[in-house]
Amino acid sequence: MRPSSARLAALLLLVGLGVPAGCGYSVVRYGQGIGGAETLAIEPLSNETFESGVEMVVLEALRREALARGGLRLVEDPERADLVLSGSVRRLSVQPRSFSSVVLALEYEVGMALQLQAERRGGRTLPIDPRALAETDTYLASADLEAMRKNRRETIHRLASLLSARVFDSLYETAAGAAPEPAGATPP
C-alpha cells in the first residue's frame, strides 16, 4: 500500500470511529436486557376497541418481540419480574381510504393506538416514546369477502408487530440513555 493510501485508510478509520462518538448516537445492545432488567412480565392488555381479540394479537406480538430480542426472560408473575409491561389497545379504526370512479372502496386504512406503561421493580417507570404507540397501514379491498377479511386481519397483525418492535426499541433506547456512565468514562 502506498503511503498516501495508508494515510487515507487511517483517516477513514478514525473518522468512522470518531464521528459517531460525538453525535449522540450510541450502540444499543439488545442481548443484555433493558437497563439491567433480566426478567419481563407482560400483563394481559385491556381492549378499549370494538374489535374482539385485538388485545390478544398485540399481547402475542409483544411477547414474540421480547423473545426475539433475547435479552429478557419472560415470566408470568409480575411480582417476580424486573420489568412489567401493561396497558391497553386504545383505538382500532378502519376507514375507506381510496375510491373507484363509481364510489367503491379500493383500499382501507387501519389505525391502531396503544397505551402502555413499563414499570421497573420498585415502581420506577421507563418512558415509552409516544410515537411508538400509534400507526396506520392500508389493505386492499376485494369483492371476495374472505379475501377482504384476511387482508384486514393481516394488516392488524402487521401493525401489532410493528408497534411491538417500536415499543421495545423505545425501551432499550430509554434505558441506554439513562444508564450511568462507567467509572472513569468521560461524556462525549
Side-chain angles (χ1 to χ4, degrees):
M1 196 183 277
R2 296 188 337 234
S4 61
S5 297
R7 284 187 200 146
L8 180 60
L11 178 65
L12 289 175
L13 180 63
L14 287 174
V15 168
L17 293 175
V19 170
C23 67
Y25 289 102
S26 63
V27 176
V28 176
R29 296 186 188 341
Y30 292 119
Q32 295 181 350
I34 297 174
E38 295 178 4
T39 56
L40 169 71
I42 304 174
E43 293 185 330
L45 304 175
S46 63
N47 184 357
E48 300 177 16
T49 74
F50 293 110
E51 181 77 19
S52 176
V54 71
E55 77 281 7
M56 296 305 293
V57 171
V58 174
L59 180 64
E60 187 57 35
L62 287 167
R63 287 182 174 158
R64 263 193 327 269
E65 187 65 29
L67 291 171
R69 304 261 175 151
L72 295 166
R73 186 171 38 89
L74 284 178
V75 296
E76 293 297 321
D77 183 10
E79 296 294 320
R80 292 185 25 226
D82 298 327
L83 185 65
V84 178
L85 195 58
S86 61
S88 63
V89 180
R90 297 285 313 260
R91 179 179 55 87
L92 184 76
S93 61
V94 180
Q95 301 174 0
R97 181 170 180 207
S98 63
F99 299 92
S100 69
S101 59
V102 289
V103 192
L104 295 174
L106 298 174
E107 291 180 314
Y108 286 89
E109 181 177 78
V110 179
M112 183 182 289
L114 308 176
Q115 179 179 0
L116 298 176
Q117 301 83 36
E119 189 173 317
R120 297 185 69 111
R121 188 179 300 200
R124 197 179 115 226
T125 60
L126 280 176
I128 300 172
D129 186 347
R131 296 172 296 181
L133 298 174
E135 187 58 81
T136 60
D137 197 1
T138 58
Y139 68 92
L140 294 175
S142 174
D144 180 356
L145 187 58
E146 283 305 311
M148 188 132 97
R149 282 185 187 151
K150 179 178 179 259
N151 290 348
R152 183 176 188 268
R153 187 174 55 247
E154 287 175 352
T155 303
I156 290 170
H157 281 264
R158 192 168 48 250
L159 281 172
S161 293
L162 175 68
L163 290 175
S164 295
R166 288 183 181 170
V167 163
F168 278 97
D169 283 344
S170 176
L171 289 172
Y172 276 97
E173 289 169 5
T174 298
E181 291 287 329
T186 57

